[in-house]
Amino acid sequence: MAVNASGNMFFFGPPARQGQSRAPAKVRAVRVIYTSTEVFPALKTGGLADVNSALPAALIDAGVDVRLLLPAFPALVNAAVNLTPVIHLKSPFCRPDVSILRGQLGRVPAYLIDVPQLYSRTGSPYVDEKGHDWPDNHLRFALLGWVAARFADGTVDGWRPDIVHGHDWHAGLAPAYLAARGGERPASVHTIHNIGFQGEFAAETFRELALPANYFSMYGIEFYGKVNFMKAALHYADSITTVSSTYAREIQSPEFGFGMDGLLRSRAGALTGILNGVDYQVWNPNRDSYLAAPYSRLEPANKSTCKDSLRMALGLASGSGPLFGVVSRLSPQKGLDLLLEVLPALVAFGGQVVLLGSGDPALEAGYRAAAARYPKDISVTFSYDEALAHRIFAGTDVTLVPSRFEPCGLTQMYALAYGSLPLVRRVGGLADTVCDANADNLSAGIATGFVFPDATSDSLNACLKRLFALWKQPSQWAAVRDNAMQQNFGWGPAAQRYLALYRALRPLA
Ligand code: ADP
């Protein structure tokens, strides 16, 4: 396979026989504008950033001409190299005009939407320093979708995508703007990373969005009298994906659909679950510069050095019990209130806990009180700390992810790679990636962690009892850890599935 200067890709078959001339079969690469908001390592508030750095790179490896489209948030401008303006667009949302910059983020070409009065702000991309949504978020993210759709006419950098692939509610209006263009247009794909976040705004904002008046309807972007960006995507996108098979099923039910289950059932034929992956360039205990010592599945001895170092750094007592880790947003989604309830029992069994996270003030208060009660066994750090996150996966025996719902979850897959056995609730991507250490799976040699069924402290407690029983059998524990570290959730298969989806939507000559 070769790529020519214009990005076209050629696939060569076997060499032509002597005397025979044969033109190589020429297949143009699928062109995708990948529309989102955050990319690791430049800008990360959660797992979406990890996905947005690894998936586009895997798509490039699969032969896709993928380019990122993001707001020019200061952190992205600082991280991008070779930024050059390519076009000024007149937008319906802001004055002066919108400048589109082209550059490179890591291995991936990127376009940044440069409108300082909308994007050049301190704080997170979504909220101000007090944690309040920016009051003009509807315009900030409508512009993202509008620019994505604007690529359809091929005048932005002379490049016309086959697919506009948007992520989460922030890019939710892209399929609506594309539909409103009518005529021949790129196909739209929308990926749901979390249906709990929908981008809901007052009805009055609709008139600022420059969409046809009839789009504010039940069969459009209106949802219970409000503007809803996620609803727009689910209604107008040609194809919808989400990040695990189980979550694709779950969100079609009232329990998990956050009100969108009916619409998703009606679009079931266009909805696919494609499991996220792990970037093993970033998450590999044998090559992780954050760790006290490197280790691997075949040479796991240094994992105990990482454990000692973590305990010492956080002021925990040494002991013979398992060390549990939590690296998480503190939100009701993550089920950490259940963990809070079982902490006394966990410590009584001989366990210790290291928690890194921030968010819900009531949860922070609960964990602060627990750490004060068990200072030698429970450590809490309320911040965002990439290095400590890596050290926790390496230094712990178990990673806790007791989520109420979990679209995919990345931390349990990182935990598997680091031999920290995931203890998870059987929901979403957690159910698809962790194999419970029950008697059958243990004897079949396929267990990789612990899975509990119900979002109750009793269910979690029962699982903890099984875990402590296994801890007392070191050779069994080591066998499960060995299985866990053998799991391969690389991005390759996901990239192939997205490519197949793109090709099905836009067969190329
Ligand atoms: P979500 O996207 O719902 O927050 P995921 O499991 O998909 O959950 O991804 C979470 C990502 O954020 C992982 O890369 C995890 O390591 C990281 N993370 C979460 N909380 C913190 C924190 N306090 N410090 C550092 N990294 C964190």
Side-chain angles (χ1 to χ4, degrees), residues 344-495:
L346 188 154
V347 172
F349 282 136
Q352 294 173 305
V353 177
V354 172
L355 175 137
L356 168 65
S358 61
D360 186 287
L363 280 172
E364 283 194 19
Y367 279 98
R368 193 173 288 114
R373 183 169 167 202
Y374 304 106
K376 292 291 165 195
D377 292 314
I378 296 181
S379 155
V380 294
T381 307
F382 300 120
S383 71
Y384 188 88
D385 186 334
E386 194 70 30
L388 182 56
H390 284 244
R391 289 187 191 122
I392 289 176
F393 292 120
T396 53
D397 302 294
V398 179
T399 293
L400 291 152
V401 196
S403 304
R404 290 204 155 68
F405 69 94
E406 194 61 72
C408 176
L410 295 172
T411 53
Q412 83 282 7
M413 294 196 273
Y414 301 159
L416 289 166
Y418 282 66
S420 177
L421 303 188
L423 188 166
V424 304
R425 179 156 175 245
R426 195 192 302 137
V427 282
L430 301 173
D432 296 353
T433 52
V434 181
C435 184
D436 183 47
N438 60 31
D440 288 348
N441 292 337
L442 282 170
S443 56
I446 56 171
T448 59
F450 305 90
V451 183
F452 67 99
D454 304 319
T456 63
S457 53
D458 284 349
S459 185
L460 173 55
N461 224 344
C463 190
L464 280 173
K465 282 190 185 140
R466 293 195 288 121
L467 182 150
F468 279 97
L470 193 74
W471 181 254
K472 290 198 183 119
Q473 303 173 60
S475 62
Q476 286 249 43
W477 187 280
V480 177
R481 192 180 63 195
D482 190 72
N483 276 342
M485 294 183 79
Q486 274 190 67
Q487 300 304 300
N488 183 348
F489 290 105
W491 273 102

Side-chain angles (χ1 to χ4, degrees), residues 19-99:
Q20 244 182 4
S21 71
R22 182 176 58 75
K26 190 167 135 184
V27 183
R28 180 169 69 70
V30 181
R31 296 181 190 142
V32 178
I33 191 80
Y34 185 109
T35 309
S36 194
T37 48
E38 49 181 281
V39 182
F40 174 83
L43 180 59
K44 171 168 168 175
T45 70
L48 180 64
D50 292 1
V51 173
N52 290 345
S53 77
L55 173 57
L59 288 169
I60 288 175
D61 292 340
V64 178
D65 179 1
V66 60
R67 305 185 188 186
L68 296 168
L69 175 67
L70 305 148
F73 295 125
L76 297 176
V77 173
N78 291 337
V81 296
N82 299 330
L83 273 186
T84 325
V86 289
I87 194 169
H88 289 273
L89 302 173
K90 279 201 188 314
S91 105
F93 308 110
C94 56
R95 300 281 177 272
D97 296 346
V98 175
S99 172

Side-chain angles (χ1 to χ4, degrees), residues 78 99 114 126 222 242 251 266 301 307 323 325 397 431 480 508:
N78 291 337
S99 172
D114 190 22
Y126 319 115
E222 182 267 339
T242 189
I251 55 179
S266 76
K307 182 172 177 177
L323 181 58
D397 302 294
V480 177
L508 300 176

Side-chain angles (χ1 to χ4, degrees), residues 177-358:
Y177 288 118
L178 274 175
R181 291 178 68 85
E184 222 232 305
R185 59 168 179 82
S188 53
V189 177
H190 189 79
T191 297
I192 304 165
H193 294 265
N194 191 330
I195 196 91
F197 300 104
Q198 300 186 350
E200 216 176 60
F201 302 97
E204 301 76 67
T205 61
F206 178 75
R207 63 172 174 270
E208 298 177 69
L209 301 180
L211 282 165
N214 63 340
Y215 277 37
F216 191 69
S217 90
M218 190 178 149
Y219 301 102
I221 88 169
E222 182 267 339
F223 189 64
Y224 289 99
K226 292 190 165 179
V227 163
N228 186 308
F229 279 35
M230 180 66 92
K231 164 104 186 285
L234 303 186
H235 182 79
Y236 291 106
D238 297 309
S239 178
I240 304 166
T241 76
T242 189
V243 290
S244 69
S245 306
T246 295
Y247 195 58
R249 279 195 306 280
E250 287 172 345
I251 55 179
Q252 296 179 54
S253 71
E255 188 187 351
F256 293 99
F258 282 84
M260 295 294 162
D261 44 291
L263 174 55
L264 285 164
R265 283 196 300 278
S266 76
R267 300 229 50 205
L271 171 64
T272 327
I274 301 179
L275 190 71
N276 282 337
V278 175
D279 184 346
Y280 290 112
Q281 301 292 323
V282 177
W283 296 100
N284 177 346
N286 211 16
R287 279 191 273 136
D288 187 331
S289 55
Y290 291 126
L291 306 192
Y295 67 95
S296 64
R297 179 175 78 85
L298 296 175
E299 291 184 49
N302 276 344
K303 187 164 168 69
S304 63
T305 310
C306 294
K307 182 172 177 177
D308 293 344
S309 148
L310 185 67
R311 272 180 170 146
M312 200 178 316
L314 298 174
L316 295 184
S318 56
S320 57
L323 181 58
F324 294 74
V326 176
V327 177
S328 181
R329 287 184 291 118
L330 303 186
S331 86
Q333 175 197 339
K334 299 291 179 177
L336 294 170
D337 51 317
L338 305 177
L339 176 61
L340 206 48
E341 284 182 51
V342 303
L343 278 182
L346 188 154
V347 172
F349 282 136
Q352 294 173 305
V353 177
V354 172
L355 175 137
L356 168 65
S358 61

